[in-house]
Amino acid sequence: MSQQTSRQRAEKRKQAQRERILSAAQTCFMESGFHAASMATIADTAGVSAGLIYRYFENKNAIILAIIDRQLAVLRRRIRELHSTEYLANRIIDYFDEEEPEEEGAMSLVLFLEISAQAARDPQISRALARYDDAVRSELADWLQRSPEQGGYGLDAAVAPLRAFLLLSIIVGLKMHGARDPDVDRAKLRKELERILQALV
Amino acid sequence: MSQQTSRQRAEKRKQAQRERILSAAQTCFMESGFHAASMATIADTAGVSAGLIYRYFENKNAIILAIIDRQLAVLRRRIRELHSTEYLANRIIDYFDEEEPEEEGAMSLVLFLEISAQAARDPQISRALARYDDAVRSELADWLQRSPEQGGYGLDAAVAPLRAFLLLSIIVGLKMHGARDPDVDRAKLRKELERILQALV
Amino acid sequence: MSQQTSRQRAEKRKQAQRERILSAAQTCFMESGFHAASMATIADTAGVSAGLIYRYFENKNAIILAIIDRQLAVLRRRIRELHSTEYLANRIIDYFDEEEPEEEGAMSLVLFLEISAQAARDPQISRALARYDDAVRSELADWLQRSPEQGGYGLDAAVAPLRAFLLLSIIVGLKMHGARDPDVDRAKLRKELERILQALV
Amino acid sequence: MSQQTSRQRAEKRKQAQRERILSAAQTCFMESGFHAASMATIADTAGVSAGLIYRYFENKNAIILAIIDRQLAVLRRRIRELHSTEYLANRIIDYFDEEEPEEEGAMSLVLFLEISAQAARDPQISRALARYDDAVRSELADWLQRSPEQGGYGLDAAVAPLRAFLLLSIIVGLKMHGARDPDVDRAKLRKELERILQALV
DNA sequence: CATGAATGAGGATTCATTCAT
DNA sequence: GATGAATGAATCCTCATTCAT
């Protein structure tokens, strides 16, 4: 039993190290981009040696893919949290208002841009992005089709997917475009957004 | 006068060379990204020597900045072309539908992503992007405020800027998000888009 | 006495571990060469941890030297087995015909080449090789000098060393050169070899 | 015409550089082996920067292959020079007697060992070695079959290839084995060698 | 003006070796 | 004894930039 425990401890430590490296990588990628962030810098940031990273990840690309997975998961979770009619506009605004998060586990706009740009070149990343996109869209579509009693909007199955697509586009657009100029009146924006959303849902 | 002419000819040639290099750079940047595209490849693509590039641009970063300028100008021109009520939805759809253009002088999504990602890190690029954004937005706002007789929508000055902001966000979002899944029914999308736009303009 | 026995058991186990490691190293060296075989791979092959190897060998070079010793001993044993007139040609052919042996304790051509190449650079290895060579040669010379009744050829002491040298050269040459093209008629080769050997012994 | 000349000069210089690098590489490979010789050392030895090497060779392996080609060509030329009855024994002895040559373009035993060892692992090298071996063997066989008036030995076509094989094996064996112990009486060795060769040719 | 050879700093990756557990 | 995580030096290779021609 003591051996079992020690093995578990080792496993836990292994996971912790992986996370340390992943977090450091995320920080570096956000600061410099996938390509410009060097393994040495990531190692420094993680407080480990450069060589050690290769015990946890096959190569730099594996780290990038892991970060992408993580980011897409976060993004998906965030989108999922939007499921609530009255607050939809607020939520979207909150979302697009968010500061670039230093803490791990949060979605980063810069990373999303980096990922999208990379997806145009790397088919593996492209596929990951497409998979995530499909999942998020169908979740949104399901939600829009649910009856109001179930927290949905009772949309017709014929239009729901398209509306989900547009909704996502608007969210993405606000996030991308809005991040650049934050002096927009939030209250007014919410009102305008609500008008648009009413045309959608 | 003959000397004058030859000087002009030289100037013209210089401009032509600059353009050649810039176009080659754009092609390479679209294919590989700012970082991964090497000066050697750009030189090859432009059909000039690597050394010659440094007669026209101080360094690689100067090329990147020039490309960014050019791309933002194109983007602005494209947005400007949207000024026409009845076709607004169509135009937006056409725009988001566009293939990644090989020809120079066209806006590239990949480049836009690359630029946006870079802007999060390089303040110089960030400023350029902000400047462009302001310009485009105020143009759009002006247009929305114009009377219908003048081809506008007669929007109130109090809401026009915000609507312009949202309009741009939608366009950007469609472009970014839509590029990933092209099997969306165009006709239906246009209808839905029109409904949203009616809430906006 | 029980302690004595346990100490002996421990010693035996130690020897067994050493052998395990050595065999694994030999396998790896044959597959990848001295330089390209990594300690990690050797450890894996031996089924021990990388760190443990350093309890049995000071460093990688010590392993290489141990392997070289072992291989030279094997080689010497093989040459010794040739001592029998009528079969000499057959034996040599058998020898040069041998497959590269996976089993430990057998001589490997690849290793011999590796060792010889290394000897040209490392004086320690060079000396080991020279020592072995001297020993084998004088054994061969002794044998050649023995009377036919004693199983020898009764060669004169004046020519025996030189003939031993030539005999070894032929064996080495056949081994090295022959290994590359195995479609040679064995029966004919034996006949030719016998003619040559008659000129030698 | 002046341009033509300058282009030729450039071509010549390019060849010269290639040779410089190749020679430096050969020196380093002889001193340290293919694997242990680093690109940095080769660059230093050649008196160029490390990066420059990659303008002349795709990678380190390409250098190794070039060296192998060169060495095999030299070896073949050397074997070809043996074509003369009365001096055959002398020539072989001279050959096996040769110092390890520092000058480029000469065959090196160490390199030959390195090549042979590498051939057991790298199929590309193995093929190169086999090709060369075939060529040398058939040249030797042709020569042995020529009439004495034509400088040959008039051997029967049925035995010539096998004799060529044995002759080469003896040469290789003497070279490899003999290189390790040079205090052998040359005069006596020649005599003995002649006896063997008479059994062969 | 134009070339492209040359540089050298920097990047990803590997691996012998050590050491806390 | 035994492990395997951790180190960091060394290696191959790339690429922006310079400069003699």
Side-chain angles (χ1 to χ4, degrees):
Chain A
M1 188 173 181
S2 120
Q3 203 194 351
Q4 173 74 332
T5 307
S6 103
R7 205 179 286 163
Q8 283 174 346
R9 244 200 325 254
E11 193 54 36
K12 210 164 202 169
R13 176 163 176 70
K14 198 162 180 167
Q15 273 306 316
Q17 284 280 49
R18 225 188 109 93
E19 280 309 309
R20 267 170 76 83
I21 294 168
L22 231 34
S23 296
Q26 177 159 335
T27 304
C28 294
F29 288 155
M30 280 166 55
E31 272 173 14
S32 334
F34 289 145
H35 211 114
S38 81
M39 291 300 276
T41 311
I42 294 174
D44 270 7
T45 307
V48 300
S49 69
L52 188 61
I53 296 184
Y54 289 85
R55 277 190 75 85
Y56 295 90
F57 298 93
E58 201 187 338
N59 50 31
K60 191 181 176 179
N61 209 52
I63 303 183
I64 295 179
L65 291 177
I67 290 287
I68 289 178
D69 265 358
R70 204 156 90 152
Q71 287 297 305
L72 294 186
V74 171
L75 194 47
R76 184 171 173 177
R77 176 161 49 75
R78 300 303 309 276
I79 300 282
R80 204 177 271 156
E81 288 166 10
L82 296 176
H83 297 192
S84 148
T85 323
E86 35 189 345
Y87 300 115
L88 188 52
N90 281 343
R91 275 285 169 74
I92 292 177
I93 289 178
D94 287 354
Y95 178 46
F96 116 93
D97 236 17
E98 267 170 3
E99 292 288 311
E100 189 70 8
E102 283 296 326
E103 0 111 29
E104 67 201 88
M107 182 58 196
S108 147
L109 175 60
V110 201
L111 279 181
F112 187 57
L113 292 170
E114 201 83 19
I115 292 171
S116 304
Q118 204 72 350
R121 300 188 276 266
D122 184 329
Q124 199 178 0
I125 297 179
S126 176
R127 274 193 301 273
L129 203 49
R131 257 200 312 277
Y132 134 81
D133 208 59
D134 282 352
V136 170
R137 241 190 273 170
S138 70
E139 272 180 35
L140 267 184
D142 281 354
W143 170 55
L144 294 177
Q145 285 176 72
R146 255 179 264 155
S147 69
E149 299 89 61
Q150 289 174 307
Y153 290 87
L155 284 197
D156 194 82
V159 293
L162 209 51
R163 300 266 169 99
F165 172 82
L166 276 165
L167 189 52
L168 251 184
S169 296
I170 290 174
I171 293 171
V172 166
L174 276 173
K175 183 75 188 167
M176 266 208 62
H177 182 233
R180 279 199 289 284
D181 188 351
D183 39 44
V184 175
D185 186 316
R186 293 298 176 263
K188 288 182 184 167
L189 178 61
R190 190 175 335 117
K191 260 192 177 164
E192 294 294 334
L193 197 50
E194 268 163 5
R195 294 188 55 217
I196 295 180
L197 294 178
Q198 271 157 15
L200 255 186
V201 295
Chain B
M1 189 170 179
S2 119
Q3 205 193 351
Q4 172 74 331
T5 306
S6 102
R7 206 179 285 163
Q8 283 175 344
R9 242 198 327 251
E11 191 57 34
K12 209 164 202 168
R13 175 167 171 67
K14 193 162 181 169
Q15 273 308 314
Q17 283 275 44
R18 228 187 104 93
E19 279 309 309
R20 269 170 74 84
I21 294 168
L22 233 33
S23 295
Q26 175 160 335
T27 303
C28 294
F29 288 154
M30 279 166 54
E31 273 173 13
S32 337
F34 289 146
H35 206 110
S38 81
M39 293 296 276
T41 311
I42 295 174
D44 269 9
T45 307
V48 299
S49 71
L52 189 60
I53 295 184
Y54 287 83
R55 283 210 158 268
Y56 296 90
F57 298 92
E58 200 190 338
N59 50 29
K60 192 181 176 180
N61 209 52
I63 302 182
I64 296 179
L65 291 177
I67 290 288
I68 290 178
D69 269 356
R70 200 155 92 150
Q71 286 298 304
L72 294 186
V74 171
L75 195 47
R76 185 170 173 177
R77 174 158 51 75
R78 300 303 307 275
I79 300 284
R80 203 176 273 155
E81 287 167 11
L82 297 176
H83 297 195
S84 149
T85 323
E86 37 189 346
Y87 301 115
L88 189 50
N90 282 343
R91 275 284 169 74
I92 292 177
I93 289 179
D94 287 353
Y95 179 45
F96 117 95
D97 237 17
E98 265 171 5
E99 292 288 312
E100 191 69 7
E102 284 298 327
E103 358 114 29
E104 65 199 273
M107 182 57 195
S108 147
L109 174 60
V110 201
L111 277 182
F112 188 56
L113 293 169
E114 202 87 17
I115 292 170
S116 303
Q118 204 73 350
R121 302 189 275 261
D122 185 327
Q124 197 178 0
I125 296 178
S126 177
R127 274 193 300 276
L129 203 49
R131 256 199 316 277
Y132 137 80
D133 207 58
D134 283 353
V136 171
R137 244 190 274 168
S138 68
E139 271 180 34
L140 264 185
D142 281 356
W143 170 54
L144 294 177
Q145 284 175 72
R146 255 179 263 156
S147 69
E149 299 88 60
Q150 289 174 307
Y153 290 85
L155 284 197
D156 194 81
V159 293
L162 210 51
R163 300 263 171 100
F165 172 83
L166 276 165
L167 190 53
L168 252 185
S169 296
I170 290 174
I171 294 171
V172 166
L174 275 174
K175 184 75 184 170
M176 264 208 64
H177 182 234
R180 278 200 288 285
D181 187 354
D183 39 44
V184 175
D185 186 317
R186 294 296 176 267
K188 289 183 184 168
L189 178 62
R190 191 176 334 116
K191 260 191 178 166
E192 295 294 331
L193 199 51
E194 267 164 5
R195 294 189 53 217
I196 295 178
L197 294 178
Q198 273 159 14
L200 257 185
V201 294
Chain C
M1 190 174 180
S2 119
Q3 206 195 348
Q4 172 74 332
T5 307
S6 102
R7 205 178 285 161
Q8 282 174 346
R9 244 198 326 250
E11 190 56 33
K12 210 163 201 170
R13 174 166 170 68
K14 193 162 179 168
Q15 273 307 314
Q17 282 276 42
R18 228 186 104 95
E19 279 309 308
R20 269 171 73 85
I21 294 169
L22 232 34
S23 296
Q26 176 160 334
T27 303
C28 294
F29 288 155
M30 279 165 54
E31 273 173 13
S32 336
F34 289 145
H35 206 110
S38 80
M39 292 297 275
T41 311
I42 294 173
D44 269 9
T45 308
V48 300
S49 71
L52 189 61
I53 296 185
Y54 287 84
R55 281 208 159 269
Y56 296 90
F57 298 92
E58 199 190 339
N59 50 30
K60 192 181 176 180
N61 209 53
I63 302 182
I64 296 179
L65 291 177
I67 290 287
I68 290 178
D69 269 357
R70 201 156 93 149
Q71 286 298 303
L72 294 186
V74 171
L75 194 48
R76 185 170 172 178
R77 174 158 53 74
R78 300 304 308 275
I79 300 283
R80 204 177 271 155
E81 289 167 9
L82 298 176
H83 297 191
S84 150
T85 324
E86 37 189 345
Y87 301 115
L88 190 51
N90 282 342
R91 274 285 168 73
I92 291 177
I93 287 179
D94 287 353
Y95 179 45
F96 116 96
D97 238 16
E98 266 170 3
E99 292 288 311
E100 191 70 7
E102 283 297 326
E103 359 113 30
E104 66 200 272
M107 182 58 195
S108 145
L109 174 61
V110 200
L111 277 182
F112 187 57
L113 293 169
E114 202 87 14
I115 292 170
S116 303
Q118 204 72 350
R121 302 189 275 263
D122 185 326
Q124 198 179 359
I125 297 178
S126 177
R127 275 194 300 276
L129 203 50
R131 256 200 314 278
Y132 135 81
D133 207 59
D134 282 353
V136 170
R137 242 190 274 168
S138 69
E139 270 180 36
L140 265 185
D142 281 355
W143 170 54
L144 295 177
Q145 284 175 71
R146 254 180 264 157
S147 68
E149 298 88 59
Q150 289 175 307
Y153 291 86
L155 284 198
D156 195 81
V159 294
L162 209 52
R163 299 266 170 98
F165 171 82
L166 275 165
L167 189 53
L168 253 183
S169 296
I170 290 174
I171 293 171
V172 166
L174 276 173
K175 183 75 184 169
M176 263 209 63
H177 182 232
R180 278 199 289 283
D181 187 354
D183 38 44
V184 174
D185 186 317
R186 293 297 176 264
K188 288 183 183 167
L189 178 62
R190 190 176 333 116
K191 260 191 177 166
E192 295 294 332
L193 198 51
E194 268 163 6
R195 295 188 55 217
I196 295 179
L197 294 177
Q198 273 159 14
L200 256 186
V201 295
Chain D
M1 189 174 182
S2 119
Q3 203 196 351
Q4 172 75 331
T5 306
S6 103
R7 203 179 288 164
Q8 283 174 345
R9 243 198 326 253
E11 193 55 36
K12 211 165 203 168
R13 175 163 175 71
K14 197 162 181 167
Q15 272 308 315
Q17 283 280 49
R18 224 187 109 94
E19 279 309 309
R20 267 170 75 84
I21 294 168
L22 231 35
S23 296
Q26 177 159 334
T27 304
C28 294
F29 288 155
M30 280 165 54
E31 272 173 16
S32 333
F34 289 145
H35 211 114
S38 81
M39 292 299 277
T41 312
I42 295 174
D44 270 7
T45 307
V48 300
S49 70
L52 188 61
I53 296 184
Y54 290 85
R55 278 190 75 84
Y56 295 91
F57 298 92
E58 201 187 338
N59 51 30
K60 191 181 176 180
N61 210 52
I63 303 183
I64 295 179
L65 291 177
I67 290 286
I68 290 177
D69 266 358
R70 202 155 92 151
Q71 287 297 306
L72 294 186
V74 172
L75 195 48
R76 184 171 174 177
R77 176 160 49 74
R78 300 304 308 275
I79 301 282
R80 205 176 269 157
E81 287 166 10
L82 297 175
H83 297 191
S84 148
T85 322
E86 35 190 344
Y87 301 114
L88 187 51
N90 282 343
R91 273 287 169 72
I92 291 177
I93 289 179
D94 287 354
Y95 179 44
F96 115 94
D97 237 16
E98 266 170 4
E99 292 288 312
E100 189 69 8
E102 284 297 326
E103 358 112 31
E104 68 201 89
M107 182 58 195
S108 147
L109 175 60
V110 201
L111 279 181
F112 186 57
L113 292 169
E114 201 83 19
I115 293 170
S116 303
Q118 204 73 348
R121 300 189 276 265
D122 185 328
Q124 199 179 2
I125 297 179
S126 177
R127 275 192 299 275
L129 202 49
R131 258 200 313 277
Y132 133 81
D133 207 58
D134 283 352
V136 170
R137 241 190 272 169
S138 71
E139 272 181 34
L140 267 184
D142 281 355
W143 170 55
L144 295 176
Q145 285 176 71
R146 257 179 261 154
S147 68
E149 299 90 60
Q150 289 174 307
Y153 290 86
L155 284 198
D156 194 82
V159 293
L162 209 51
R163 301 267 169 99
F165 171 81
L166 276 165
L167 188 52
L168 250 185
S169 296
I170 291 174
I171 293 170
V172 166
L174 275 173
K175 183 75 187 170
M176 266 208 61
H177 181 235
R180 279 199 289 284
D181 188 353
D183 40 43
V184 174
D185 186 317
R186 293 299 176 262
K188 288 183 183 168
L189 178 61
R190 191 177 331 117
K191 261 190 175 165
E192 295 295 333
L193 197 51
E194 268 164 4
R195 293 189 55 217
I196 295 180
L197 294 178
Q198 271 158 16
L200 256 187
V201 295

